[in-house]
Amino acid sequence: MRITALIIRILRQIVRDKRTMGLLIFAPILVLTMLHLVFNGNDYTPKIGFVHIPESIVDQIDISDEKITEYKNEKEAKEDLSSQEIDGYVVFHNQSPSIFLEGSDPTVNGAAIKWIQTVLKPLQGNEPSLEPKVDFLHGSAGMGQFDYFGPVLLGFFVFFFVFLIAGVSFLRERTTGTLERLLSTPLRKWEIVTGYVLGFGIFTMIQATIIAAYAIYVLDMLMEGAFLYVLLIILLLSFTALTLGILLSSFANNELQMIQFIPIVVVPQIFFSGLFNLETISEWLRWIGPFTPLYYAADALRDIMVRGYGWDEIYRDVFVLLGFSILFMIVNILALRKYREI
Amino acid sequence: MEATKACISIRHVSKQFGKQQVLKKISLEIMEGEIFGLLGPSGAGKTTLVKQLAGLDTPTSGENFLLQEKMPSLKLIEKVGYMAQSDALYGELSAKENLQFFSALYGLKGKKQQQRIEEVMKLVQLSDHLHKLVSNYSGGMKRRLSLAIALLHEPEILILDEPTVGIDPMLRKSIWEAFYELKNKGTTLIVTTHVMDEAEKCDRLGMIRNGSLIAVGTPEELKQKTNSATIEEAFLVYGGA
Ligand SMILES: Nc1ncnc2c1ncn2[C@@H]1O[C@H](COP(=O)(O)OP(=O)(O)O)[C@@H](O)[C@H]1O
Ligand SMILES: [Mg+2]
């Protein structure tokens, strides 16, 4: 009852502020469209497996290289490919090579094919008939950069905007004295936090549906899995953004200080979300990834949209995201003790 | 006075913010059904004290009891109506939406809610502006809407922090009439003010200066004891001027 009142109030406030609402929906659409039109390029050393390497190649390449793995049969190679241990493998049928790629990241695909072609060159001689056949586990040769980056960006935009508006609106609640006013009513502290999560959650659901539908159906972003899973992940991600935004708003005294959190808290998450290959990030920074919500959301979104995976592959990400939200919610409730002890 | 029950009992309350001692060992009893005025200059500690009574803060030492129960308590909070010194309203919503929101927090719904909203808005003479956005309200109108919200759930105890600031004399008079009406219905009112002539209208007064309670009594008593013609003079005498 009290939570419902809070949810209705929050939704009314959002709807009343047409400009912010427009920004939340159209800004991501605009940027996604531009990225769709623009994208290209990167540098990466692929991890390749070989099944039955012909003697003639063994001399050519350095098997001890950590980027190369040798397999006894194709089954083992395929398993490692599924678990993303390797980016692709080469198998030889009657001396003619076939390439099999994991395929979800176009940058990696390109790098892998280029690398294999260089290595196989001495074998081919001048015979064009030995041009290797390329197969993909996921994706296809036609998959663009945008398809791979898309899911991450989708997650990022939702995180970014929800973090900002939820943080600012809670900040206002605090600076205008309405938070104190709320706490002079029988409203419980957990009800305030829950009301905020649900109120913004409902709005995010609508926002995410519109943006995701636009990206998938209008911009033709690759979509192999279920739309509902995409929405589930985005909703959970928005909960973490929301609860983190509310939490950090208590360290800000005005809107500008809230915005200062963006380069510190929001933008760095992009680097660890798989938009850039994690292995190109230096060792001493890499550990940060698992502490950022976007890392898990991006992983799950890519599993769903690019690889077409379902619940079995994403449930771990789902629980980690839920864990983040619950943790932030508890800290928020504790932080409200500053305004009322009970 | 002896026969009536103490509704609010403030016992040896001190409050410290960092090094600053804002309340110094205040002890005070407020009776059921009276209008008690807390008079003191800006910065005296009035807001700090009434916030504790509303459950929004706790003393560094000492205790506050409301209706024989220790504050803060969620059960008591339902019986208290609080009007903060600054208007805590949602500007992007209309007055009615603000009232609907706060009344829902107190569990008022449907017909009863509708009826209470009409009653309180009539009392503060804002009935004609019910559907206006609060951001379009003037300062005085916001003050009155805040008061209306504090009255919504018909609390037993009303804590009003400078309720008539920015309200013109005509309206101030009608608001005080409303206070007397509430008092007659049995409500206990605590009103803070730094305006001396408003203090005259209270049943009893507590004078606060620099966090100390320097005098308590009816306005008449305070004037008599100090041989003063006005409350202002009395305040200066008690203040050691
Ligand atoms: N949260 C706080 N932190 C530090 N000092 C405070 C705080 N709240 C009030 N004060 C100080 O306490 C004193 C009394 O303030 P207040 O109770 O608002 O006075 P009044 O309401 O009588 O004008 C002031 O000097 C004010 O600066
Ligand atoms: Mg004050």
Side-chain angles (χ1 to χ4, degrees):
Chain A
M1 171 70 196
R2 289 189 292 245
I3 294 182
T4 319
L6 193 52
I7 294 173
I8 293 171
R9 193 213 84 204
I10 288 170
L11 289 177
R12 269 181 175 156
Q13 284 178 301
I14 297 177
V15 172
R16 218 38 69 76
D17 192 351
K18 297 262 178 340
R19 190 170 143 169
T20 303
M21 199 167 63
L23 176 85
L24 289 174
I25 293 170
F26 291 109
I29 285 183
L30 183 71
V31 180
L32 280 173
T33 308
M34 291 197 308
L35 288 170
H36 170 69
L37 296 173
V38 171
F39 249 92
N40 251 327
N42 210 322
D43 239 327
Y44 172 74
T45 321
K47 284 167 293 186
I48 303 294
F50 282 92
V51 187
H52 313 303
I53 310 183
E55 289 297 325
S56 50
I57 305 189
V58 177
D59 306 333
Q60 289 287 325
I61 51 175
D62 182 7
I63 300 285
S64 62
D65 191 329
E66 59 168 326
K67 298 282 183 187
I68 296 170
T69 327
E70 213 183 336
Y71 296 97
K72 288 196 193 62
N73 54 52
E74 193 171 347
K75 193 165 157 280
E76 280 175 27
K78 207 160 203 159
E79 271 167 21
D80 272 7
L81 193 68
S82 304
S83 57
Q84 289 160 258
E85 295 287 323
I86 53 173
D87 299 318
Y89 63 82
V90 186
V91 62
F92 293 89
H93 299 292
N94 316 322
Q95 293 291 308
S96 93
S98 294
I99 301 173
F100 209 95
L101 298 178
E102 202 273 338
S104 38
D105 185 343
T107 324
V108 174
N109 294 347
I113 293 173
K114 210 162 122 198
W115 187 91
I116 294 167
Q117 277 170 345
T118 321
V119 173
L120 297 183
K121 203 145 206 150
L123 260 193
Q124 286 173 287
N126 287 327
E127 289 176 67
S129 61
L130 276 176
E131 184 68 24
K133 184 171 149 290
V134 184
D135 280 310
F136 296 84
L137 181 60
H138 303 291
S140 67
M143 184 177 148
Q145 291 281 29
F146 181 68
D147 293 317
Y148 183 72
F149 290 179
V152 181
L153 290 173
L154 209 56
F156 174 74
F157 283 128
V158 170
F159 191 94
F160 182 97
F161 286 111
V162 172
F163 174 86
L164 199 60
I165 59 155
V168 166
S169 86
F170 205 76
L171 173 95
R172 285 211 193 119
E173 191 105 64
R174 196 163 53 87
T175 52
T176 60
T178 50
L179 178 63
E180 193 174 84
R181 189 68 190 77
L182 288 184
L183 287 165
S184 74
T185 76
L187 194 62
R188 308 293 192 263
K189 281 175 294 193
W190 67 267
E191 289 175 326
I192 296 183
V193 177
T194 312
Y196 256 78
V197 168
L198 295 180
F200 279 97
I202 291 171
F203 177 74
T204 312
M205 217 57 257
I206 298 167
Q207 179 209 18
T209 311
I210 294 173
I211 299 170
Y214 176 82
I216 293 165
Y217 301 114
V218 179
L219 297 183
D220 217 16
M221 195 186 277
L222 186 67
M223 177 64 176
E224 297 285 339
F227 195 70
L228 274 181
Y229 283 138
V230 172
L231 291 188
L232 172 73
I233 298 294
I234 291 187
L235 183 68
L236 289 173
L237 179 66
S238 75
F239 284 170
T240 65
L242 182 83
T243 46
L244 185 64
I246 294 175
L247 190 62
L248 291 181
S249 76
S250 51
F251 299 101
N253 293 320
N254 53 50
E255 280 88 344
L256 186 62
Q257 289 189 352
M258 197 63 215
I259 289 171
Q260 288 163 5
F261 282 121
I262 293 172
I264 299 169
V265 177
V266 184
V267 172
Q269 293 204 46
I270 271 206
F271 302 126
F272 304 99
S273 62
L275 199 55
F276 303 97
N277 198 298
L278 263 183
E279 278 154 52
T280 58
I281 298 175
S282 56
E283 199 80 56
W284 59 276
L285 269 181
R286 213 178 290 169
W287 59 271
I288 299 173
F291 292 96
T292 61
L294 197 58
Y295 174 88
Y296 299 95
D299 181 54
L301 285 175
R302 226 179 292 117
D303 271 349
I304 300 162
M305 298 178 71
V306 179
R307 304 192 178 107
Y309 290 161
W311 179 251
D312 288 344
E313 307 293 329
I314 61 165
Y315 79 93
R316 233 173 287 122
D317 296 317
V318 167
F319 287 122
V320 174
L321 288 173
L322 260 182
F324 270 116
S325 307
I326 292 169
L327 175 75
F328 294 150
M329 279 177 82
I330 291 170
V331 180
N332 269 314
I333 294 168
L334 293 178
L336 282 177
R337 288 182 64 91
K338 196 173 135 196
Y339 302 95
R340 186 177 80 191
E341 274 189 18
I342 42 158
Chain B
M1 257 324 147
E2 308 293 36
T4 43
K5 270 194 299 182
C7 169
I8 295 169
S9 170
I10 300 165
R11 300 179 192 170
H12 314 291
V13 164
S14 296
K15 179 75 191 183
Q16 203 146 350
F17 287 117
K19 277 191 178 153
Q20 191 190 3
Q21 180 100 17
V22 176
L23 294 178
K24 296 167 190 158
K25 281 227 172 234
I26 292 190
S27 291
L28 178 65
E29 305 251 294
I30 297 170
M31 304 302 156
E32 223 170 84
E34 72 174 338
I35 301 183
F36 192 92
L38 275 174
L39 178 67
S42 182
K46 305 180 295 292
T47 300
T48 308
L49 184 61
V50 294
K51 260 193 196 174
Q52 290 185 6
L53 300 180
L56 291 168
D57 204 353
T58 47
T60 312
S61 68
E63 290 165 324
N64 292 301
F65 285 82
L66 266 71
L67 307 167
Q68 279 77 48
E69 223 178 297
K70 195 176 168 198
M71 216 34 181
S73 127
L74 282 172
K75 211 178 99 212
L76 283 177
I77 278 177
E78 311 211 11
K79 298 181 180 171
V80 175
Y82 173 64
M83 174 183 174
Q85 186 170 356
S86 61
D87 299 305
L89 301 164
Y90 297 100
E92 57 276 64
L93 302 183
S94 70
K96 188 172 182 186
E97 287 165 337
N98 270 280
L99 288 156
Q100 282 172 337
F101 172 60
F102 282 105
S103 55
L105 295 185
Y106 286 102
L108 292 174
K109 49 189 160 186
K111 267 221 142 59
K112 174 82 183 159
Q113 185 189 65
Q114 185 83 24
Q115 183 202 331
R116 280 304 294 160
I117 289 178
E118 278 165 25
E119 281 170 18
V120 293
M121 287 302 264
K122 201 165 152 223
L123 197 74
V124 296
Q125 302 182 14
L126 283 175
S127 301
D128 296 339
H129 307 280
L130 191 58
H131 298 283
K132 238 187 215 165
L133 287 188
V134 170
S135 51
N136 296 332
Y137 267 33
S138 71
M141 287 164 85
K142 284 184 189 159
R143 209 72 206 114
R144 283 182 278 152
L145 180 58
S146 297
L147 177 61
I149 289 172
L151 299 174
L152 271 173
H153 65 295
E154 301 175 272
E156 286 174 45
I157 300 172
L158 254 181
I159 299 171
L160 308 171
D161 200 353
E162 315 224 2
T164 55
V165 172
I167 294 181
D168 66 78
M170 286 286 283
L171 213 59
R172 186 181 292 191
K173 190 160 170 277
S174 78
I175 283 178
W176 270 92
E177 276 160 17
F179 289 170
Y180 288 124
E181 206 174 301
L182 286 164
K183 166 192 149 82
N184 290 336
K185 283 189 199 156
T187 310
T188 309
L189 287 94
I190 300 168
V191 181
T192 76
T193 179
H194 64 263
V195 187
M196 302 289 170
D197 71 333
E198 196 165 69
E200 302 258 16
K201 299 191 178 102
C202 301
D203 293 330
R204 284 200 309 146
L205 272 181
M207 292 182 168
I208 298 193
R209 222 187 73 147
N210 290 332
S212 299
L213 191 64
I214 52 176
V216 183
T218 64
E220 285 312 311
E221 279 170 8
L222 295 174
K223 279 188 281 188
Q224 259 174 24
K225 278 186 192 163
T226 53
N227 282 324
S228 320
T230 64
I231 290 289
E232 190 158 359
E233 269 178 54
F235 191 93
L236 290 173
V237 173
Y238 280 117

